[in-house]
Amino acid sequence: MRDWLALYKYRGLERLEPLLAEMLYLPYYELSRLAAGSGTVSPGCEPWDLITYVPVSGERAQERGFNQAERLAAVLGGRFNLPVQALLVRTRHSGKQSLKTRRERMIDMHSLFAPDEAGWAAWEEQYHQRINPAGKRYKDNQSGDRSIYSSVRILLVDDIYTTGSTIQACSEVLTQRSQSACEIYSLTWSRS
């Protein structure tokens, strides 16, 4: 599995993308059941308000030509009819995390991410368009009938979970920026 991800991520073997994304479906269903607090989740009634992803630096995006977390998030969003929105930006290039110790990763994560204000504005507009004047969302395939006053559930996608420092740093920024209570769940393709 590690070889597949390396071929996709570092060698640009994009034909592996559908396979890698499909391998996320079962963990997605399991996490959705956990978030929904029930034994089942009906298709079209997923518990997520949106999907976002861990951003890469401009240097890394130029080197690879794509952000693997963004691409996996887009496939999930398309498959489950959920909005995918960039909510984070990377404030600086940090070098390859795979070459760092746990301590170095933890230190490196300090102030590495910030809110993507354009992404948040787009998301908030989309979110409020799904709310009726009574304060509840219209019942549709994406929103069920949770109240606007319930917390926003964000699914944060990344490719690899190693120490948890990246997910933690992103979650802190998302929580601080959110204008309502926020629940953040992460879904990663692999754990190293």
Side-chain angles (χ1 to χ4, degrees):
M1 280 181 43
R2 183 174 282 178
D3 291 341
W4 291 352
L5 186 59
L7 287 169
Y8 172 64
K9 186 174 173 176
Y10 302 119
R11 303 272 191 232
L13 196 59
E14 295 179 46
R15 69 176 186 240
L16 289 174
E17 186 173 284
L19 173 64
L20 298 178
E22 191 169 321
M23 292 173 76
L24 281 174
Y25 295 168
L26 182 58
Y28 171 87
Y29 285 121
E30 294 299 319
L31 188 59
S32 294
R33 280 199 289 270
L34 175 71
S38 66
T40 61
V41 175
S42 302
C45 293
E46 282 79 11
W48 315 111
D49 292 296
L50 81 152
I51 299 172
T52 194
Y53 49 88
V54 174
V56 295
S57 67
E59 182 178 310
R60 191 70 67 225
Q62 188 169 5
E63 176 186 305
R64 292 185 189 147
F66 65 99
N67 174 350
Q68 66 284 351
E70 179 181 7
R71 300 272 288 267
L72 293 172
V75 172
L76 284 172
R79 169 74 168 85
F80 298 103
N81 196 28
L82 291 166
V84 177
Q85 185 66 55
L87 297 181
L88 298 163
V89 293
R90 200 173 274 253
T91 59
R92 59 186 156 76
H93 180 67
S94 61
K96 293 187 177 182
Q97 296 297 308
S98 61
L99 302 176
K100 297 177 183 174
T101 66
R102 177 179 173 79
R103 187 176 189 316
E104 289 169 333
R105 288 175 194 231
M106 300 297 268
I107 292 168
D108 197 34
M109 287 297 125
H110 181 70
S111 301
L112 185 60
F113 301 102
D116 179 331
E117 292 301 336
W120 277 97
W123 157 242
E124 288 165 348
E125 176 66 24
Q126 182 182 28
Y127 181 75
H128 291 295
Q129 286 179 358
R130 293 189 305 179
I131 307 294
N132 69 24
K136 292 202 175 193
R137 296 185 203 184
Y138 292 106
K139 290 186 180 189
D140 64 16
N141 285 346
Q142 292 180 192
S143 61
D145 61 358
R146 289 188 310 146
S147 165
I148 184 175
Y149 303 110
S150 65
S151 61
V152 174
R153 285 197 189 118
I154 298 173
L155 182 61
L156 175 62
V157 175
D158 200 5
D159 58 344
I160 297 178
Y161 181 100
T162 303
T163 64
S165 59
T166 300
I167 297 295
Q168 180 65 35
C170 289
S171 296
E172 288 171 4
V173 172
L174 292 170
T175 301
Q176 290 169 2
R177 174 56 180 82
S178 179
Q179 294 186 4
S180 61
C182 189
E183 293 177 45
I184 300 159
Y185 293 76
S186 67
L187 181 64
T188 58
W189 188 82
S190 176
R191 175 154 186 162
S192 82

mmCIF file of all heavy atoms in Angstrom, residues 58-98:
data_model
loop_
_atom_site.group_PDB
_atom_site.id
_atom_site.type_symbol
_atom_site.label_atom_id
_atom_site.label_comp_id
_atom_site.label_asym_id
_atom_site.label_seq_id
_atom_site.Cartn_x
_atom_site.Cartn_y
_atom_site.Cartn_z
ATOM 1 N N GLY A 58 2.890 25.959 -1.907
ATOM 2 C CA GLY A 58 2.963 26.256 -3.335
ATOM 3 C C GLY A 58 4.120 25.536 -3.997
ATOM 4 O O GLY A 58 4.005 25.035 -5.118
ATOM 5 N N GLU A 59 5.234 25.459 -3.281
ATOM 6 C CA GLU A 59 6.410 24.758 -3.810
ATOM 7 C C GLU A 59 6.116 23.281 -4.041
ATOM 8 O O GLU A 59 6.456 22.713 -5.073
ATOM 9 C CB GLU A 59 7.573 24.915 -2.835
ATOM 10 C CG GLU A 59 8.862 24.281 -3.292
ATOM 11 C CD GLU A 59 9.996 24.512 -2.312
ATOM 12 O OE1 GLU A 59 10.210 25.675 -1.909
ATOM 13 O OE2 GLU A 59 10.656 23.520 -1.934
ATOM 14 N N ARG A 60 5.455 22.643 -3.073
ATOM 15 C CA ARG A 60 5.134 21.228 -3.194
ATOM 16 C C ARG A 60 4.087 20.997 -4.296
ATOM 17 O O ARG A 60 4.178 20.038 -5.057
ATOM 18 C CB ARG A 60 4.604 20.690 -1.863
ATOM 19 C CG ARG A 60 4.485 19.208 -1.816
ATOM 20 C CD ARG A 60 5.811 18.478 -1.787
ATOM 21 N NE ARG A 60 6.517 18.731 -0.545
ATOM 22 C CZ ARG A 60 7.817 19.026 -0.474
ATOM 23 N NH1 ARG A 60 8.553 19.084 -1.554
ATOM 24 N NH2 ARG A 60 8.392 19.245 0.671
ATOM 25 N N ALA A 61 3.112 21.893 -4.394
ATOM 26 C CA ALA A 61 2.096 21.763 -5.444
ATOM 27 C C ALA A 61 2.738 21.888 -6.827
ATOM 28 O O ALA A 61 2.392 21.147 -7.750
ATOM 29 C CB ALA A 61 1.011 22.818 -5.265
ATOM 30 N N GLN A 62 3.680 22.794 -6.953
ATOM 31 C CA GLN A 62 4.356 22.957 -8.237
ATOM 32 C C GLN A 62 5.220 21.734 -8.556
ATOM 33 O O GLN A 62 5.254 21.269 -9.691
ATOM 34 C CB GLN A 62 5.216 24.216 -8.224
ATOM 35 C CG GLN A 62 5.785 24.562 -9.568
ATOM 36 C CD GLN A 62 6.413 25.940 -9.574
ATOM 37 O OE1 GLN A 62 6.519 26.611 -8.560
ATOM 38 N NE2 GLN A 62 6.844 26.369 -10.743
ATOM 39 N N GLU A 63 5.874 21.203 -7.548
ATOM 40 C CA GLU A 63 6.729 20.021 -7.730
ATOM 41 C C GLU A 63 5.922 18.806 -8.170
ATOM 42 O O GLU A 63 6.311 18.089 -9.088
ATOM 43 C CB GLU A 63 7.445 19.739 -6.400
ATOM 44 C CG GLU A 63 8.291 18.504 -6.349
ATOM 45 C CD GLU A 63 8.815 18.274 -4.927
ATOM 46 O OE1 GLU A 63 9.448 19.188 -4.368
ATOM 47 O OE2 GLU A 63 8.560 17.185 -4.377
ATOM 48 N N ARG A 64 4.780 18.579 -7.522
ATOM 49 C CA ARG A 64 3.963 17.392 -7.809
ATOM 50 C C ARG A 64 2.934 17.617 -8.895
ATOM 51 O O ARG A 64 2.488 16.676 -9.539
ATOM 52 C CB ARG A 64 3.224 16.947 -6.540
ATOM 53 C CG ARG A 64 4.154 16.407 -5.488
ATOM 54 C CD ARG A 64 3.377 15.868 -4.311
ATOM 55 N NE ARG A 64 4.285 15.564 -3.241
ATOM 56 C CZ ARG A 64 4.012 15.670 -1.961
ATOM 57 N NH1 ARG A 64 2.806 16.053 -1.577
ATOM 58 N NH2 ARG A 64 4.900 15.386 -1.047
ATOM 59 N N GLY A 65 2.484 18.857 -9.008
ATOM 60 C CA GLY A 65 1.431 19.157 -9.977
ATOM 61 C C GLY A 65 0.035 19.003 -9.406
ATOM 62 O O GLY A 65 -0.943 19.295 -10.085
ATOM 63 N N PHE A 66 -0.087 18.554 -8.168
ATOM 64 C CA PHE A 66 -1.400 18.387 -7.537
ATOM 65 C C PHE A 66 -1.216 18.198 -6.034
ATOM 66 O O PHE A 66 -0.125 17.949 -5.557
ATOM 67 C CB PHE A 66 -2.159 17.197 -8.133
ATOM 68 C CG PHE A 66 -1.520 15.851 -7.871
ATOM 69 C CD1 PHE A 66 -1.981 15.043 -6.850
ATOM 70 C CD2 PHE A 66 -0.463 15.395 -8.652
ATOM 71 C CE1 PHE A 66 -1.403 13.799 -6.602
ATOM 72 C CE2 PHE A 66 0.122 14.159 -8.430
ATOM 73 C CZ PHE A 66 -0.349 13.360 -7.399
ATOM 74 N N ASN A 67 -2.325 18.340 -5.322
ATOM 75 C CA ASN A 67 -2.369 18.062 -3.887
ATOM 76 C C ASN A 67 -3.159 16.764 -3.721
ATOM 77 O O ASN A 67 -4.359 16.723 -3.998
ATOM 78 C CB ASN A 67 -3.049 19.212 -3.138
ATOM 79 C CG ASN A 67 -3.265 18.924 -1.664
ATOM 80 O OD1 ASN A 67 -3.085 17.815 -1.183
ATOM 81 N ND2 ASN A 67 -3.670 19.938 -0.930
ATOM 82 N N GLN A 68 -2.489 15.715 -3.288
ATOM 83 C CA GLN A 68 -3.134 14.405 -3.179
ATOM 84 C C GLN A 68 -4.308 14.423 -2.209
ATOM 85 O O GLN A 68 -5.331 13.772 -2.465
ATOM 86 C CB GLN A 68 -2.119 13.320 -2.804
ATOM 87 C CG GLN A 68 -1.511 13.440 -1.439
ATOM 88 C CD GLN A 68 -0.439 14.528 -1.330
ATOM 89 O OE1 GLN A 68 -0.009 15.107 -2.324
ATOM 90 N NE2 GLN A 68 -0.004 14.800 -0.117
ATOM 91 N N ALA A 69 -4.224 15.157 -1.120
ATOM 92 C CA ALA A 69 -5.339 15.221 -0.167
ATOM 93 C C ALA A 69 -6.545 15.914 -0.800
ATOM 94 O O ALA A 69 -7.685 15.482 -0.615
ATOM 95 C CB ALA A 69 -4.913 15.937 1.110
ATOM 96 N N GLU A 70 -6.295 16.962 -1.547
ATOM 97 C CA GLU A 70 -7.378 17.666 -2.231
ATOM 98 C C GLU A 70 -8.058 16.756 -3.243
ATOM 99 O O GLU A 70 -9.286 16.719 -3.337
ATOM 100 C CB GLU A 70 -6.825 18.903 -2.936
ATOM 101 C CG GLU A 70 -7.863 19.686 -3.698
ATOM 102 C CD GLU A 70 -7.278 20.898 -4.401
ATOM 103 O OE1 GLU A 70 -6.046 21.078 -4.412
ATOM 104 O OE2 GLU A 70 -8.078 21.673 -4.961
ATOM 105 N N ARG A 71 -7.281 16.013 -3.984
ATOM 106 C CA ARG A 71 -7.840 15.120 -5.009
ATOM 107 C C ARG A 71 -8.659 13.994 -4.376
ATOM 108 O O ARG A 71 -9.731 13.647 -4.866
ATOM 109 C CB ARG A 71 -6.721 14.549 -5.877
ATOM 110 C CG ARG A 71 -5.904 15.597 -6.619
ATOM 111 C CD ARG A 71 -6.486 15.977 -7.963
ATOM 112 N NE ARG A 71 -6.341 14.956 -8.939
ATOM 113 C CZ ARG A 71 -5.336 14.856 -9.792
ATOM 114 N NH1 ARG A 71 -4.369 15.742 -9.800
ATOM 115 N NH2 ARG A 71 -5.308 13.874 -10.663
ATOM 116 N N LEU A 72 -8.171 13.414 -3.270
ATOM 117 C CA LEU A 72 -8.933 12.365 -2.587
ATOM 118 C C LEU A 72 -10.225 12.944 -2.000
ATOM 119 O O LEU A 72 -11.284 12.312 -2.063
ATOM 120 C CB LEU A 72 -8.081 11.700 -1.512
ATOM 121 C CG LEU A 72 -6.898 10.882 -2.019
ATOM 122 C CD1 LEU A 72 -6.005 10.441 -0.861
ATOM 123 C CD2 LEU A 72 -7.346 9.678 -2.840
ATOM 124 N N ALA A 73 -10.142 14.155 -1.445
ATOM 125 C CA ALA A 73 -11.336 14.818 -0.910
ATOM 126 C C ALA A 73 -12.354 15.070 -2.021
ATOM 127 O O ALA A 73 -13.561 14.872 -1.824
ATOM 128 C CB ALA A 73 -10.948 16.131 -0.235
ATOM 129 N N ALA A 74 -11.880 15.473 -3.192
ATOM 130 C CA ALA A 74 -12.782 15.746 -4.316
ATOM 131 C C ALA A 74 -13.507 14.480 -4.764
ATOM 132 O O ALA A 74 -14.709 14.519 -5.069
ATOM 133 C CB ALA A 74 -12.006 16.359 -5.480
ATOM 134 N N VAL A 75 -12.809 13.369 -4.786
ATOM 135 C CA VAL A 75 -13.453 12.106 -5.166
ATOM 136 C C VAL A 75 -14.522 11.735 -4.133
ATOM 137 O O VAL A 75 -15.635 11.345 -4.495
ATOM 138 C CB VAL A 75 -12.424 10.970 -5.335
ATOM 139 C CG1 VAL A 75 -13.120 9.633 -5.546
ATOM 140 C CG2 VAL A 75 -11.488 11.261 -6.499
ATOM 141 N N LEU A 76 -14.192 11.870 -2.849
ATOM 142 C CA LEU A 76 -15.187 11.580 -1.804
ATOM 143 C C LEU A 76 -16.394 12.505 -1.925
ATOM 144 O O LEU A 76 -17.546 12.061 -1.827
ATOM 145 C CB LEU A 76 -14.572 11.723 -0.417
ATOM 146 C CG LEU A 76 -13.671 10.608 0.062
ATOM 147 C CD1 LEU A 76 -12.985 11.006 1.361
ATOM 148 C CD2 LEU A 76 -14.445 9.321 0.252
ATOM 149 N N GLY A 77 -16.136 13.797 -2.114
ATOM 150 C CA GLY A 77 -17.230 14.754 -2.247
ATOM 151 C C GLY A 77 -18.136 14.420 -3.414
ATOM 152 O O GLY A 77 -19.365 14.477 -3.300
ATOM 153 N N GLY A 78 -17.535 14.062 -4.536
ATOM 154 C CA GLY A 78 -18.327 13.686 -5.701
ATOM 155 C C GLY A 78 -19.122 12.410 -5.482
ATOM 156 O O GLY A 78 -20.288 12.315 -5.845
ATOM 157 N N ARG A 79 -18.499 11.450 -4.846
ATOM 158 C CA ARG A 79 -19.136 10.142 -4.606
ATOM 159 C C ARG A 79 -20.323 10.259 -3.651
ATOM 160 O O ARG A 79 -21.344 9.612 -3.823
ATOM 161 C CB ARG A 79 -18.099 9.166 -4.052
ATOM 162 C CG ARG A 79 -18.636 7.858 -3.521
ATOM 163 C CD ARG A 79 -19.061 6.930 -4.666
ATOM 164 N NE ARG A 79 -19.312 5.589 -4.228
ATOM 165 C CZ ARG A 79 -20.459 5.161 -3.725
ATOM 166 N NH1 ARG A 79 -21.462 5.989 -3.566
ATOM 167 N NH2 ARG A 79 -20.606 3.908 -3.370
ATOM 168 N N PHE A 80 -20.167 11.108 -2.632
ATOM 169 C CA PHE A 80 -21.195 11.204 -1.595
ATOM 170 C C PHE A 80 -21.992 12.509 -1.656
ATOM 171 O O PHE A 80 -22.724 12.836 -0.724
ATOM 172 C CB PHE A 80 -20.575 11.001 -0.215
ATOM 173 C CG PHE A 80 -19.968 9.632 -0.065
ATOM 174 C CD1 PHE A 80 -18.592 9.454 -0.142
ATOM 175 C CD2 PHE A 80 -20.779 8.525 0.098
ATOM 176 C CE1 PHE A 80 -18.034 8.184 -0.034
ATOM 177 C CE2 PHE A 80 -20.232 7.252 0.201
ATOM 178 C CZ PHE A 80 -18.859 7.084 0.126
ATOM 179 N N ASN A 81 -21.836 13.240 -2.753
ATOM 180 C CA ASN A 81 -22.587 14.474 -2.985
ATOM 181 C C ASN A 81 -22.436 15.473 -1.829
ATOM 182 O O ASN A 81 -23.424 15.994 -1.313
ATOM 183 C CB ASN A 81 -24.066 14.153 -3.247
ATOM 184 C CG ASN A 81 -24.796 15.323 -3.855
ATOM 185 O OD1 ASN A 81 -24.200 16.151 -4.543
ATOM 186 N ND2 ASN A 81 -26.088 15.415 -3.597
ATOM 187 N N LEU A 82 -21.202 15.711 -1.441
ATOM 188 C CA LEU A 82 -20.902 16.657 -0.371
ATOM 189 C C LEU A 82 -20.018 17.772 -0.902
ATOM 190 O O LEU A 82 -19.154 17.537 -1.756
ATOM 191 C CB LEU A 82 -20.175 15.948 0.773
ATOM 192 C CG LEU A 82 -21.001 14.963 1.565
ATOM 193 C CD1 LEU A 82 -20.109 14.079 2.432
ATOM 194 C CD2 LEU A 82 -22.010 15.704 2.430
ATOM 195 N N PRO A 83 -20.198 18.989 -0.385
ATOM 196 C CA PRO A 83 -19.335 20.074 -0.839
ATOM 197 C C PRO A 83 -17.897 19.870 -0.353
ATOM 198 O O PRO A 83 -17.667 19.410 0.763
ATOM 199 C CB PRO A 83 -19.951 21.318 -0.209
ATOM 200 C CG PRO A 83 -20.759 20.834 0.944
ATOM 201 C CD PRO A 83 -21.187 19.429 0.602
ATOM 202 N N VAL A 84 -16.955 20.206 -1.211
ATOM 203 C CA VAL A 84 -15.535 20.173 -0.865
ATOM 204 C C VAL A 84 -15.041 21.601 -0.981
ATOM 205 O O VAL A 84 -15.245 22.253 -2.013
ATOM 206 C CB VAL A 84 -14.740 19.251 -1.813
ATOM 207 C CG1 VAL A 84 -13.249 19.301 -1.483
ATOM 208 C CG2 VAL A 84 -15.261 17.829 -1.730
ATOM 209 N N GLN A 85 -14.423 22.100 0.075
ATOM 210 C CA GLN A 85 -13.996 23.497 0.088
ATOM 211 C C GLN A 85 -12.623 23.637 0.733
ATOM 212 O O GLN A 85 -12.370 23.046 1.779
ATOM 213 C CB GLN A 85 -15.015 24.339 0.874
ATOM 214 C CG GLN A 85 -14.743 25.801 0.852
ATOM 215 C CD GLN A 85 -14.898 26.384 -0.539
ATOM 216 O OE1 GLN A 85 -15.936 26.237 -1.174
ATOM 217 N NE2 GLN A 85 -13.869 27.045 -1.025
ATOM 218 N N ALA A 86 -11.771 24.420 0.119
ATOM 219 C CA ALA A 86 -10.473 24.759 0.723
ATOM 220 C C ALA A 86 -10.745 25.721 1.874
ATOM 221 O O ALA A 86 -11.260 26.818 1.661
ATOM 222 C CB ALA A 86 -9.556 25.414 -0.306
ATOM 223 N N LEU A 87 -10.435 25.315 3.084
ATOM 224 C CA LEU A 87 -10.622 26.183 4.251
ATOM 225 C C LEU A 87 -9.300 26.575 4.899
ATOM 226 O O LEU A 87 -9.284 27.395 5.814
ATOM 227 C CB LEU A 87 -11.499 25.478 5.297
ATOM 228 C CG LEU A 87 -12.927 25.145 4.889
ATOM 229 C CD1 LEU A 87 -13.657 24.473 6.041
ATOM 230 C CD2 LEU A 87 -13.673 26.384 4.419
ATOM 231 N N LEU A 88 -8.215 25.992 4.418
ATOM 232 C CA LEU A 88 -6.903 26.229 5.014
ATOM 233 C C LEU A 88 -5.885 26.584 3.936
ATOM 234 O O LEU A 88 -5.999 26.134 2.799
ATOM 235 C CB LEU A 88 -6.419 24.966 5.738
ATOM 236 C CG LEU A 88 -7.265 24.469 6.895
ATOM 237 C CD1 LEU A 88 -6.912 23.021 7.217
ATOM 238 C CD2 LEU A 88 -7.062 25.358 8.110
ATOM 239 N N VAL A 89 -4.902 27.366 4.328
ATOM 240 C CA VAL A 89 -3.726 27.613 3.487
ATOM 241 C C VAL A 89 -2.495 27.294 4.319
ATOM 242 O O VAL A 89 -2.506 27.391 5.550
ATOM 243 C CB VAL A 89 -3.649 29.064 2.958
ATOM 244 C CG1 VAL A 89 -4.767 29.357 1.988
ATOM 245 C CG2 VAL A 89 -3.642 30.066 4.102
ATOM 246 N N ARG A 90 -1.464 26.898 3.635
ATOM 247 C CA ARG A 90 -0.186 26.652 4.294
ATOM 248 C C ARG A 90 0.573 27.972 4.258
ATOM 249 O O ARG A 90 0.710 28.580 3.198
ATOM 250 C CB ARG A 90 0.572 25.554 3.561
ATOM 251 C CG ARG A 90 1.651 24.903 4.404
ATOM 252 C CD ARG A 90 2.256 23.721 3.685
ATOM 253 N NE ARG A 90 1.513 22.506 3.894
ATOM 254 C CZ ARG A 90 1.918 21.500 4.654
ATOM 255 N NH1 ARG A 90 3.069 21.564 5.278
ATOM 256 N NH2 ARG A 90 1.191 20.425 4.788
ATOM 257 N N THR A 91 1.065 28.431 5.394
ATOM 258 C CA THR A 91 1.691 29.748 5.476
ATOM 259 C C THR A 91 3.143 29.760 4.997
ATOM 260 O O THR A 91 3.674 30.817 4.692
ATOM 261 C CB THR A 91 1.649 30.287 6.922
ATOM 262 O OG1 THR A 91 2.343 29.367 7.775
ATOM 263 C CG2 THR A 91 0.215 30.464 7.391
ATOM 264 N N ARG A 92 3.758 28.592 4.947
ATOM 265 C CA ARG A 92 5.151 28.508 4.510
ATOM 266 C C ARG A 92 5.451 27.081 4.090
ATOM 267 O O ARG A 92 4.725 26.156 4.433
ATOM 268 C CB ARG A 92 6.109 28.934 5.622
ATOM 269 C CG ARG A 92 5.997 28.116 6.874
ATOM 270 C CD ARG A 92 6.857 28.667 8.023
ATOM 271 N NE ARG A 92 6.349 28.268 9.312
ATOM 272 C CZ ARG A 92 6.491 27.063 9.837
ATOM 273 N NH1 ARG A 92 7.126 26.125 9.185
ATOM 274 N NH2 ARG A 92 5.986 26.784 11.020
ATOM 275 N N HIS A 93 6.525 26.942 3.352
ATOM 276 C CA HIS A 93 6.986 25.613 2.973
ATOM 277 C C HIS A 93 7.724 25.033 4.180
ATOM 278 O O HIS A 93 8.533 25.721 4.805
ATOM 279 C CB HIS A 93 7.904 25.699 1.756
ATOM 280 C CG HIS A 93 8.425 24.374 1.314
ATOM 281 N ND1 HIS A 93 7.600 23.408 0.779
ATOM 282 C CD2 HIS A 93 9.667 23.857 1.346
ATOM 283 C CE1 HIS A 93 8.332 22.341 0.489
ATOM 284 N NE2 HIS A 93 9.584 22.592 0.814
ATOM 285 N N SER A 94 7.479 23.787 4.486
ATOM 286 C CA SER A 94 8.053 23.212 5.706
ATOM 287 C C SER A 94 8.987 22.039 5.445
ATOM 288 O O SER A 94 9.447 21.410 6.386
ATOM 289 C CB SER A 94 6.933 22.774 6.646
ATOM 290 O OG SER A 94 6.140 21.790 6.034
ATOM 291 N N GLY A 95 9.253 21.724 4.215
ATOM 292 C CA GLY A 95 10.101 20.569 3.948
ATOM 293 C C GLY A 95 9.308 19.283 4.109
ATOM 294 O O GLY A 95 8.160 19.284 4.548
ATOM 295 N N LYS A 96 9.917 18.190 3.748
ATOM 296 C CA LYS A 96 9.238 16.893 3.808
ATOM 297 C C LYS A 96 9.088 16.414 5.245
ATOM 298 O O LYS A 96 10.065 16.239 5.956
ATOM 299 C CB LYS A 96 9.996 15.860 2.976
ATOM 300 C CG LYS A 96 9.942 16.163 1.504
ATOM 301 C CD LYS A 96 10.543 15.051 0.686
ATOM 302 C CE LYS A 96 10.388 15.395 -0.787
ATOM 303 N NZ LYS A 96 10.896 14.373 -1.662
ATOM 304 N N GLN A 97 7.844 16.190 5.636
ATOM 305 C CA GLN A 97 7.566 15.725 6.996
ATOM 306 C C GLN A 97 8.109 14.317 7.223
ATOM 307 O O GLN A 97 8.483 13.966 8.330
ATOM 308 C CB GLN A 97 6.054 15.753 7.253
ATOM 309 C CG GLN A 97 5.446 17.140 7.207
ATOM 310 C CD GLN A 97 5.999 18.052 8.284
ATOM 311 O OE1 GLN A 97 6.011 17.717 9.464
ATOM 312 N NE2 GLN A 97 6.485 19.202 7.879
ATOM 313 N N SER A 98 8.172 13.528 6.164
ATOM 314 C CA SER A 98 8.620 12.137 6.301
ATOM 315 C C SER A 98 10.082 12.034 6.732
ATOM 316 O O SER A 98 10.510 10.980 7.210
ATOM 317 C CB SER A 98 8.414 11.385 4.986
ATOM 318 O OG SER A 98 9.172 11.994 3.948
#
